[in-house]
């Protein structure tokens, strides 16, 4: 209810995630939005994280973001949105 406290709390959580991800903004944002598993290795996309893989199968025929199963789709959309906001704020 108190916007100042919400901003402080969110900033603290994000700064902790930024430190935990060695200063990598994209990974920190993925962690902030997608939770603890967002940056774990993907089981369906070699070399990608769970948040950056678009598929739920090794053949890449089942999208991760589909009706009834959002997967990490919202997190993939959130990362560029957060980057855009940061750029507009001069960060």
């Amino acid at each position: 209810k108190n916007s100042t406290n919400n901003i402080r709390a969110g900033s603290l959580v994000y700064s902790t995630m930024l430190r935990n991800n060695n200063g990598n903004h994209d990974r920190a944002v993925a962690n902030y939005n997608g939770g603890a598993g967002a940056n774990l290795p993907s089981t369906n996309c070699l070399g990608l994280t769970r948040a950056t893989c678009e598929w739920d199968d090794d053949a890449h025929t089942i999208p991760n973001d589909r009706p009834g199963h959002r997967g990490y789709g919202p997190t993939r959309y959130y990362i560029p949105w957060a980057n855009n906001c940061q750029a507009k704020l001069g960060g």
Side-chain angles (χ1 to χ4, degrees):
K1 294 184 179 202
N2 183 322
S3 59
T4 301
N5 286 343
N6 287 344
I7 291 169
R8 285 182 182 149
S11 297
L12 178 62
V13 169
Y14 175 75
S15 67
T16 300
M17 291 179 179
L18 190 61
R19 266 193 316 279
N20 291 345
N21 286 286
N22 299 314
N24 184 310
H25 173 71
D26 285 357
R27 290 179 64 92
V29 169
N31 202 196
Y32 183 88
N33 183 260
N39 290 317
L40 293 175
S42 169
T43 58
N44 303 114
C45 298
L46 187 63
L48 296 179
T49 65
R50 291 180 181 179
T52 56
C53 178
E54 297 182 36
W55 306 102
D56 268 351
D57 66 330
D58 291 338
H60 295 180
T61 58
I62 302 172
N64 178 265
D65 184 2
R66 59 187 183 272
H69 177 77
R70 294 300 313 262
Y72 283 105
T75 300
R76 279 192 299 280
Y77 308 132
Y78 186 77
I79 295 168
W81 177 84
N83 288 337
N84 186 45
C85 288
Q86 183 180 24
K88 286 181 178 179
L89 293 171

